[in-house]
Amino acid sequence: MKIKADVIKYGNNVDTDVIIPARYLNTSNAEELAAHCMEDIDKTFVKRVKKGDVIVAGDNFGCGSSREHAPLAIKTSGIACVVAKSFARIFYRNAINIGLPIIECDADIDEGDVIEIDFADGILVNTTKGKEYSFPPFPPFLQNIIEKGGLMRSLGGNR
């Protein structure tokens, strides 16, 4: 799988409470969650995000509570991938389980840059800056989960 995307950038320690504020956790409707994605850290996110954009962040993205709602809100908002220096482990696993690609990569990427990602070969190119980075590609079984849209779908379920 390969993508080319515009970047929306955040800093370190973006926690699940700002990805999807707790006051919206009374629904599991993905579209409703996406309508409030990132609003406590970036009031403009839902208005400016475009299908296929990528979030880039620093260390410890997705820290905080272990809610599956956070990666679901991000994915449903149109984000194609999250690239961060590091992820909270439970967010990492929840993202894979719902089919949101995530990459750990320490790359020089700024808001508004355009990047290309080759998931199979583990290559990220910042086309704006002309720089290339490598990251460990997912093993085939995780690539299958992401390509099918999540763990349950990879097992033949509807979720």
Side-chain angles (χ1 to χ4, degrees):
M1 185 169 87
K2 295 180 182 181
I3 64 169
K4 182 175 184 175
D6 294 326
V7 169
I8 298 173
K9 186 163 184 183
Y10 298 103
N12 296 326
N13 302 309
V14 175
D15 65 52
T16 55
D17 290 324
V18 298
I19 295 170
I20 184 65
R23 63 188 173 274
Y24 301 112
L25 296 181
N26 56 353
T27 183
S28 59
N29 179 286
E31 287 77 26
E32 179 67 20
L33 293 169
H36 299 287
C37 188
M38 309 302 273
E39 75 180 28
D40 282 358
I41 193 172
D42 179 357
K43 299 249 185 259
T44 68
F45 176 80
V46 295
K47 291 182 176 118
R48 65 189 174 106
V49 67
K50 300 179 307 300
K51 184 173 175 60
D53 284 350
V54 168
I55 289 177
V56 172
D59 287 312
N60 205 25
F61 188 89
C63 57
S65 61
S66 62
R67 59 183 72 142
E68 187 180 75
H69 298 73
L72 182 61
I74 291 171
K75 180 181 177 183
T76 307
S77 74
I79 293 294
C81 179
V82 179
V83 177
K85 290 180 184 176
S86 66
F87 291 91
R89 292 295 101 189
I90 192 68
F91 180 90
Y92 188 94
R93 194 63 206 162
N94 283 338
I96 299 297
N97 285 343
I98 61 102
L100 173 66
I102 54 177
I103 295 171
E104 286 189 335
C105 185
D106 186 6
D108 180 16
I109 304 171
D110 292 313
E111 176 90 18
D113 285 355
V114 176
I115 61 174
E116 295 179 2
I117 302 171
D118 181 331
F119 293 94
D121 291 334
I123 298 170
L124 183 152
V125 178
N126 183 331
T127 60
T128 304
K129 294 182 176 164
K131 294 182 179 179
E132 183 174 301
Y133 305 90
S134 63
F135 60 90
F138 288 124
F141 80 96
L142 288 181
Q143 287 183 36
N144 179 57
I145 291 171
I146 291 168
E147 288 171 10
K148 297 273 170 84
L151 179 62
M152 295 306 292
R153 288 184 179 164
S154 75
L155 298 173
N158 294 340
R159 189 173 165 197

